[in-house]
Amino acid sequence: MQQKYNPQLIEREAQQYWDASGAFRAVESPGKPKYYCLSMFPYPSGKLHMGHVRNYTIGDVLTRYHRMNGRNVLQPMGWDAFGLPAENAAMANGVPPAKWTYDNISYMKGQLKSLGFAIDWSRELATCQPAYYRWNQWLFLRMLEKGLVYKKSGIVNWDPVDKTVLANEQVIDGRGWRTGALVEKREIPMYYMAITKYADELLGALDTLPGWPERVKTMQANWIGKSYGVRFAFPYELGGKREKLWVFTTRADTIMGVTFCAVAAEHPLATHAARGNPKLAAFVEECKRGSVMEADLATIEKKGMPTGISVVHPLTGEKVPLWVGNYVLMGYGEGAVMGVPGHDQRDFEFAQQYGLPIKPVIRPAEGKLELPLKAAYLEYGVCFNSGRYDGLGYPQAVDAVAADLKAKGLGEKQVLWRLRDWGISRQRYWGTPIPIIHCPACGDVPVPDKDLPVVLPEDCVPDGTGNPLAKRADFVDTKCPKCGKAAKRETDTMDTFVDSSWYYARYACADNAQGMVDRRVDYWLPVDQYIGGIEHAILHLLYSRFWTKVMRDLGLFKVDEPFTNLLTQGMVLNDIYFRQSDGGRITYYNPAEVEAENGGATLKADGQPVESGGMGTMSKSKNNGVDPQELIDHYGADIARFFMMFTSPPEDTLVWSDAGVEGASRFLRRLWNYCLKFEGGGGPAADPTLQKAVRLEIHSVLKQANYDIARHQFNTVASAAMKILNALEKLPAIDREVAPEGL
RNA sequence: GCCGGGAUGGCGGAAUUGGUAGACGCACGGGACUCAAAAUCCCGCGGUGGCAACACCAUGAGAGUUCGAUUCUCUCUCCCGGCACCA
């Protein structure tokens, strides 16, 4: 044993030994209880950040804990390798996304290795490898056959200057990030996965997941958003033709309070009305500007304009004016809503703004409704002012209204899901090609299985003006698999969430070239412990659950749910410092360059003060990241890892502290010194009574520590470790079995 | 705007089911050892007043329930995550 604590030496020796002996290779052994410990795989952005170190350290602690408890543990690692940043890097540096990605993977893999994680690298995968993404294509085709994939139009952000589709992230204040042009909404054909067919099961099965945090389950339940309502129609006549305007409402009891209807700018009725009405046409155009993000739509100023068209109230027969509203979403329900200003706050504000009548029809069951209304009355109450529905409560009124609408053939009760089908088409290069061929004669033809994978050329360099794949004749031009005549390949690629929806299963059989998965998944699945950021609480985890169920229904899996236990780790935060120039430009300074004193802070370089921007997630934009590599180089991996576990419970945010790292380092050196003392052996025999007492203490603390690890209470483990160490140091020598190896 | 979460000393946090708020650690201060420093060890460490015993105040703000609230209820403020094309 080394006399001085030398992490570089110790860690290199240990890591070389682990590598050479294949210490972390997981082998299926049916007799042995398995434990599949999975951390969310990283996007190969360039180098590891603190969030990665934290994520993988938590996973590694659990991995080693369960190994020591005799489980057959699998901890794999891979790369979520498709995505937008690679294309951005390509534009900035002229390097193909493939090269950039593979270089990053190679560098980051080295970093992960130097952290000494107990990873089975023999199962490594990268989603940008044809050997992986061919199975995205294969399953897409199976889903197409089962009607779980279909084509319809969707709305995207369109940059009119670059003539390209933009991701939400590339739209800044309604303008394209490169061109500054006002972004438009544009409708294009896209492929969708019918996740709504599984909505009921995805919602119900949340109850079968006791190992998931309550808040994640609540968020998913709200996202799926099962609501019971009534779908009904307002009849109207247009150009002599009788038509119906369909809407959905969860408040059919307020139907007698309808004073207007509104449609989205993209609704066919709006388009029709805009013809020959230049003012309306201009308004419709204005609505089509701006981003498609729901957060933007929900906060914009509500605007509308009358179409001049009237529709007919299905129950009263009264004329109802039809408006175009910028807050009506084409993607939700029918792209049209009934307007009940008395009982919907958004409608109330809209009616006030445009002088539309407000007709209250619901009053509290006891007491009076204060009139005139100062705000919409949103409570469930009793109908009044509603003809034959007067006096009915919410459920009775909804039943009665639904029955009457049904009798007229104008509507009925319906379950509405907030969840929408998953649009997977991306007009981008660096992703899984969608395996479809467009034939002028046969239409959209699936690529036959024998021609999979449709390989993505790896030498394209995007320039920001649309998908480079579309410019590659060698990719696009092909023959129709049906008729053999000249045809064109689909150039859209898949959403990267497809890649991450099933990677956990591929780890069980990453070497299988014949199939997507094989029977080894029956041994390893489900994942016993999944660890990752809370930011994935909804989308990634929901898509994964959906794919798991689809794969189960295709007979590929026996499991219903992919992840038995879920740990959502907190963010890593650090101080933010900046200076603002006279022109308003803000320059951020890394906390490492700043000297913080009580109350103020100065830049080390010039001694002048800097402003504090509080605390925030480590990010490039705020220049407040700490490079884990420096930490590893300076203190060694064990201290970096120990600090991560020691300083804050895994599910809470972790605030960076140089002093905390220093403290963690001191603790480990202390432990090292104790071990030296122990290795040296001997020393004067301690008072046997004291020795026994301390041993009892250690046992009880270790027991508590095990219990705490099982509950992910790592912070208390750190405390327990401290107590053990304090106790150990009081003894000249103790039994090996109670030495703190278990920590 | 909507959904979810959070706020306790200088800092991370503890208080296990409504019962002594601040465990444990970090940082800091004092002391021991040392020519000196590092390391290590000992003591102190929410605020105000007091030599002290002790007293009063204090868990983001305000109200409520209770003998008793960090814990339960309501309202509000601020912060964080998500909002379907960042991953």
Side-chain angles (χ1 to χ4, degrees):
Chain A
M1 211 163 180
Q2 295 295 314
Q3 282 308 299
K4 209 179 151 225
Y5 181 60
N6 180 341
Q8 279 72 25
L9 198 65
I10 302 162
E11 286 166 14
R12 198 181 322 122
E13 275 179 16
Q15 286 161 19
Q16 279 169 359
Y17 171 75
W18 292 334
D19 254 356
S21 62
F24 305 127
R25 194 142 204 174
V27 180
E28 296 76 24
S29 9
K32 210 173 160 191
K34 63 94 186 180
Y35 187 85
Y36 185 177
C37 185
L38 180 67
S39 293
M40 290 181 186
F41 61 170
Y43 178 80
S45 54
K47 53 188 185 181
L48 290 185
H49 56 69
M50 281 300 168
H52 292 131
V53 177
R54 193 176 192 203
N55 195 156
Y56 304 139
T57 301
I58 294 167
D60 201 55
V61 166
L62 287 163
T63 292
R64 288 174 190 265
Y65 173 75
H66 288 286
R67 274 170 73 94
M68 282 186 281
N69 277 300
R71 305 281 205 98
N72 186 21
V73 179
L74 168 61
Q75 179 176 235
M77 186 55 70
W79 308 95
D80 189 12
F82 275 138
L84 200 54
E87 297 196 24
N88 296 341
M91 275 184 255
N93 311 320
V95 181
K99 180 175 166 34
W100 183 83
T101 302
Y102 285 119
D103 286 352
N104 289 347
I105 287 175
S106 148
Y107 181 74
M108 290 169 76
K109 185 174 177 181
Q111 288 191 301
L112 285 175
K113 287 207 157 189
S114 74
L115 276 159
F117 295 130
I119 290 167
D120 180 355
W121 283 105
S122 72
R123 296 166 187 262
E124 180 183 6
L125 58 83
T127 56
C128 62
Q129 294 161 336
Y132 183 84
Y133 66 68
R134 72 174 292 178
W135 303 111
N136 290 347
Q137 297 171 339
W138 183 82
L139 203 81
F140 173 94
L141 295 172
R142 299 292 82 73
M143 288 169 77
L144 194 65
E145 287 162 6
K146 289 192 75 178
L148 287 171
V149 162
Y150 65 96
K151 202 175 182 184
K152 69 168 180 180
S153 76
I155 300 173
V156 294
N157 303 304
W158 179 256
D159 186 319
V161 173
D162 268 349
K163 300 200 182 348
T164 191
V165 175
L166 297 179
N168 285 337
E169 193 190 48
Q170 297 171 315
V171 179
I172 295 151
D173 297 329
R175 291 171 184 275
W177 66 324
R178 277 159 44 86
T179 63
L182 279 173
V183 167
E184 298 165 8
K185 299 189 188 82
R186 179 170 276 217
E187 267 190 82
I188 56 166
M190 303 211 294
Y191 286 95
Y192 283 80
M193 292 191 172
I195 190 172
T196 52
K197 287 195 179 170
Y198 284 82
D200 236 329
E201 194 192 345
L202 287 166
L203 181 66
L206 289 172
D207 293 335
T208 68
L209 297 171
W212 279 41
E214 242 7 90
R215 59 175 164 153
V216 174
K217 287 191 276 185
T218 309
M219 280 190 261
Q220 291 218 349
N222 289 341
W223 184 264
I224 295 166
K226 186 177 192 176
S227 60
Y228 300 88
V230 175
R231 178 177 180 263
F232 69 96
F234 291 83
Y236 63 95
E237 264 193 43
L238 206 60
K241 269 175 134 182
R242 301 174 78 172
E243 307 274 357
K244 286 171 184 170
L245 175 70
W246 288 95
V247 301
F248 177 89
T249 179
T250 56
R251 290 301 301 269
D253 58 322
T254 67
I255 194 169
M256 302 306 274
V258 169
T259 61
F260 67 96
C261 283
V263 293
E266 296 86 358
H267 197 280
L269 262 178
T271 315
H272 184 276
R275 273 180 229 139
N277 183 344
K279 264 178 88 177
L280 185 63
F283 178 67
V284 166
E285 279 314 303
E286 188 192 324
C287 290
K288 286 182 180 171
R289 277 202 287 277
S291 84
V292 300
M293 272 180 280
E294 198 203 309
D296 290 342
L297 293 168
T299 46
I300 50 167
E301 192 194 344
K302 313 282 177 287
K303 283 186 185 170
M305 196 172 272
T307 59
I309 298 172
S310 287
V311 295
V312 177
H313 193 292
L315 296 179
T316 67
E318 284 170 18
K319 275 189 165 184
V320 176
L322 181 71
W323 286 60
V324 175
N326 67 348
Y327 64 95
V328 184
L329 304 178
M330 197 58 214
Y332 289 167
E334 308 286 346
V337 294
M338 67 174 194
V340 184
H343 305 286
D344 181 285
Q345 190 56 29
R346 204 173 46 186
D347 294 346
F348 183 84
E349 284 161 20
F350 193 80
Q352 279 201 319
Q353 193 177 341
Y354 294 105
L356 292 160
I358 296 170
K359 183 186 174 196
V361 291
I362 304 289
R363 59 171 174 77
E366 284 161 36
K368 268 191 164 176
L369 194 63
E370 219 180 290
L371 294 173
L373 289 171
K374 290 193 186 74
Y377 179 73
L378 304 173
E379 310 297 317
Y380 292 134
V382 176
C383 294
F384 75 105
N385 226 350
S386 302
R388 54 171 300 212
Y389 308 111
D390 280 357
L392 295 180
Y394 171 74
Q396 296 82 13
V398 170
D399 286 348
V401 166
D404 290 350
L405 286 168
K406 191 165 187 184
K408 295 188 172 198
L410 287 174
E412 60 188 326
K413 277 194 177 180
Q414 202 184 48
V415 170
L416 183 77
W417 301 92
R418 209 191 77 94
L419 182 68
R420 311 200 295 262
D421 277 342
W422 175 15
I424 59 144
S425 294
R426 297 290 178 271
Q427 299 67 46
R428 259 182 272 293
Y429 157 62
W430 191 233
T432 304
I434 292 177
I436 294 284
I437 290 166
H438 303 289
C439 170
C442 312
D444 297 349
V445 182
V447 172
D449 284 359
K450 66 173 174 56
D451 295 337
L452 295 183
V454 176
V455 176
L456 185 73
E458 291 199 347
D459 53 356
C460 290
V461 182
D463 61 4
T465 62
N467 186 347
L469 274 185
K471 302 165 191 165
R472 298 263 312 223
D474 61 336
F475 179 82
V476 175
D477 293 334
T478 186
K479 289 201 162 62
C480 172
K482 255 190 195 165
C483 67
K485 288 185 193 140
K488 304 256 184 219
R489 272 190 203 285
E490 171 69 53
T491 57
D492 280 1
T493 54
M494 294 185 199
D495 182 3
T496 55
F497 275 124
V498 170
D499 309 325
S500 54
S501 285
W502 67 281
Y503 75 108
Y504 69 92
R506 185 68 184 170
Y507 284 132
C509 46
D511 56 0
N512 187 341
Q514 313 312 313
M516 188 175 190
V517 293
D518 58 41
R519 295 308 2 129
R520 283 176 284 177
V521 295
D522 296 337
Y523 179 74
W524 290 114
L525 297 192
V527 172
D528 294 279
Q529 180 69 60
Y530 196 34
I531 304 139
I534 183 69
E535 68 272 22
H536 295 294
I538 297 177
L539 291 178
H540 161 60
L541 289 168
L542 194 62
Y543 291 143
S544 264
R545 295 181 59 220
F546 163 60
W547 264 62
T548 303
K549 290 173 193 303
V550 171
M551 288 179 76
R552 174 201 62 194
D553 291 346
L554 286 164
L556 297 162
F557 284 167
K558 290 180 177 151
V559 296
D560 294 317
E561 286 287 335
F563 314 119
T564 306
N565 295 291
L566 174 70
L567 191 156
T568 49
Q569 114 233 14
M571 307 270 151
V572 183
L573 310 184
N574 201 357
D575 293 302
I576 298 168
Y577 295 107
F578 66 91
R579 276 184 194 155
Q580 196 162 9
S581 72
D582 297 335
R585 246 191 50 158
I586 291 179
T587 313
Y588 288 96
Y589 296 98
N590 194 282
E593 306 164 11
V594 172
E595 192 79 57
E597 292 127 17
N598 34 337
T602 52
L603 193 65
K604 283 177 187 168
D606 58 15
Q608 297 302 303
V610 289
E611 286 184 64
S612 166
M615 204 65 88
T617 316
M618 285 190 181
S619 70
K620 261 187 197 160
S621 60
K622 297 281 165 66
N623 187 17
N624 67 337
V626 175
D627 188 351
Q629 199 56 49
E630 286 173 23
L631 189 64
I632 298 163
D633 293 344
H634 189 248
Y635 289 101
D638 284 327
I639 286 173
R641 295 164 45 134
F642 182 71
F643 168 72
M644 284 289 161
M645 299 309 298
F646 172 79
T647 199
S648 194
E651 312 211 57
D652 292 0
T653 50
L654 183 152
V655 177
W656 185 260
S657 148
D658 289 326
V661 180
E662 196 51 54
S665 149
R666 199 165 302 162
F667 176 90
L668 277 199
R669 284 201 300 269
R670 216 169 131 195
L671 188 64
W672 182 262
N673 288 339
Y674 164 72
C675 291
L676 278 183
K677 197 163 139 192
F678 175 76
E679 293 258 315
D687 173 0
T689 321
L690 174 70
Q691 203 163 355
K692 194 179 171 193
V694 172
R695 261 184 217 152
L696 278 174
E697 167 77 2
I698 291 167
H699 277 298
S700 85
V701 166
L702 271 179
K703 206 172 148 194
Q704 176 71 29
N706 282 344
Y707 172 69
D708 288 340
I709 286 176
R711 291 169 51 216
H712 304 140
Q713 300 279 325
F714 296 97
N715 184 256
T716 15
V717 174
S719 301
M722 215 59 215
K723 281 185 194 163
I724 292 170
L725 193 54
N726 287 336
L728 288 176
E729 285 174 342
K730 289 181 185 141
L731 289 179
I734 63 159
D735 291 344
R736 225 171 235 281
E737 56 170 298
V738 292
E741 291 171 77
L743 298 168

